[in-house]
């Protein structure tokens, strides 16, 4: 899906500092307080949140929980900002930074659920380390997730799925789930997922808890 340049993207992000957290490192270990939530509130993170459709739908389905999205592309995250602003959503905040730096933003065991939806497959072998299911990324996810925290991954790219199945099978507990997504009426989808499904693409998932 081709990304279009948004002329005033930076201005949109800059003018919504109540939604886009300018210095996320300042909230390390304190994210629930930002949402005025107690320590028992579930906190979810989506890495590569795109235009925010998945997060906004998720936040509506679970209004008592808190949600964070990281997206480094300003021309993309500005669309998520607009959704959150227009819908007056209070339980979603965004981070316009590189997801590779999550250890700077989150304490050990701070996240309950972590989502990686339809990331760039980086198909060339020389780009393997950029894949969001490369072992070095998985180690970071393990740190910020609670011991019983759930990691969820989706892709329509069979090669990336097979690669991720190999790396995650070594990192997740033996009861992890994987395969083609079986859709129900209440399945919450991303923008990419909606488009891929309409084109007849198979969607694959991997879900589990880190060892």
């Amino acid at each position: 899906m081709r990304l279009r340049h948004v002329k005033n993207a930076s201005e949109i992000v800059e003018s919504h500092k109540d939604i886009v957290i300018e210095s996320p490192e300042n909230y390390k270990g304190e994210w629930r307080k930002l949402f005025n939530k107690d320590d028992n509130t579930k906190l979810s993170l989506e890495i590569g949140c795109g235009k925010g459709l998945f997060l906004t739908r998720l936040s509506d389905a679970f209004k008592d929980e808190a949600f964070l999205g990281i997206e480094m592309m300003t021309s993309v995250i500005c669309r998520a900002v607009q959704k959150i602003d227009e819908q007056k959503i209070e339980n979603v905040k965004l981070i316009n930074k590189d997801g590779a730096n999550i250890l700077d933003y989150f304490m050990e065991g701070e996240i309950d659920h972590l989502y990686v939806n339809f990331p760039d497959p980086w198909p060339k072998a020389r780009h393997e380390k950029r894949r969001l299911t490369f072992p070095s990324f998985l180690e970071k996810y393990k740190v910020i997730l609670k011991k019983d925290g759930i990691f969820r991954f989706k892709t329509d790219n069979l090669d990336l799925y097979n690669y991720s199945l190999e790396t995650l099978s070594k990192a997740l507990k033996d009861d992890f789930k994987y395969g083609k997504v079986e859709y129900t009426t209440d399945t919450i989808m991303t923008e990419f997922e909606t488009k891929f499904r309409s084109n007849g693409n198979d969607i694959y998932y991997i879900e589990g808890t880190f060892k």
Side-chain angles (χ1 to χ4, degrees):
M1 189 179 295
R2 186 176 180 180
L3 299 175
R4 297 179 180 178
H5 175 71
V6 179
K7 185 177 180 180
N8 60 337
S10 296
E11 289 79 2
I12 293 171
V13 171
E14 285 293 322
S15 63
H16 290 85
K17 292 185 178 180
D18 57 323
I19 297 173
V20 184
I21 306 306
E22 189 173 19
S23 300
E25 62 274 7
N26 293 341
Y27 293 93
K28 187 175 182 177
E30 305 288 339
W31 285 104
R32 287 173 177 81
K33 291 182 181 178
L34 178 65
F35 290 96
N36 295 315
K37 302 287 189 179
D38 61 40
D39 292 342
N40 295 319
T41 300
K42 288 185 178 180
L43 179 64
S44 298
L45 171 67
E46 183 184 13
I47 297 179
C49 65
K51 298 178 183 178
L53 182 63
F54 177 76
L55 271 185
T56 54
R57 287 179 171 175
L58 199 63
S59 69
D60 184 59
F62 301 96
K63 296 182 185 296
D64 293 331
E65 300 182 14
F67 299 89
L68 292 164
I70 294 181
E71 174 59 59
M72 67 183 298
M73 297 186 67
T74 304
S75 60
V76 177
I77 201 172
C78 70
R79 297 307 191 195
V81 172
Q82 291 172 322
K83 286 186 179 70
I84 294 167
D85 184 46
E86 291 168 2
Q87 298 175 36
K88 302 186 185 305
I89 299 171
E90 297 183 355
N91 60 335
V92 178
K93 303 293 182 185
L94 304 175
I95 301 171
N96 190 197
K97 304 283 185 180
D98 189 342
N101 299 324
I102 53 174
L103 295 184
D104 294 336
Y105 312 141
F106 302 102
M107 290 288 289
E108 181 178 350
E110 191 168 11
I111 302 297
D112 290 277
H113 301 126
L114 194 154
Y115 301 90
V116 176
N117 294 317
F118 302 92
D120 191 324
W122 293 107
K124 295 182 180 179
R126 67 175 183 271
H127 293 152
E128 180 186 0
K129 292 183 178 180
R130 298 186 183 183
R131 298 171 191 163
L132 292 186
T133 50
F134 185 73
S136 63
F137 280 104
L138 302 185
E139 286 298 320
K140 294 177 183 180
Y141 306 156
K142 180 179 179 179
V143 170
I144 67 171
L145 273 169
K146 291 183 175 180
K147 289 185 178 180
D148 60 348
I150 304 298
F151 172 80
R152 295 184 174 94
F153 166 81
K154 279 186 181 180
T155 184
D156 71 314
N157 186 290
L158 183 57
D159 288 337
L160 179 62
Y161 168 72
N162 287 330
Y163 171 85
S164 302
L165 191 58
E166 181 178 351
T167 60
L168 282 162
S169 64
K170 299 173 184 176
L172 298 177
K173 293 180 180 179
D174 292 341
D175 60 351
F176 76 96
K177 302 174 183 178
Y178 62 95
K180 291 183 182 179
V181 176
E182 295 183 6
Y183 288 90
T184 63
T185 55
D186 59 352
T187 299
I188 298 173
M189 295 189 289
T190 73
E191 287 94 349
F192 282 121
E193 192 167 5
T194 302
K195 180 177 178 62
F196 294 151
R197 282 201 72 209
S198 68
N199 290 338
N201 297 33
D202 288 326
I203 308 297
Y204 305 92
Y205 81 101
I206 304 171
E207 175 183 316
T209 301
F210 285 96
K211 293 177 181 177

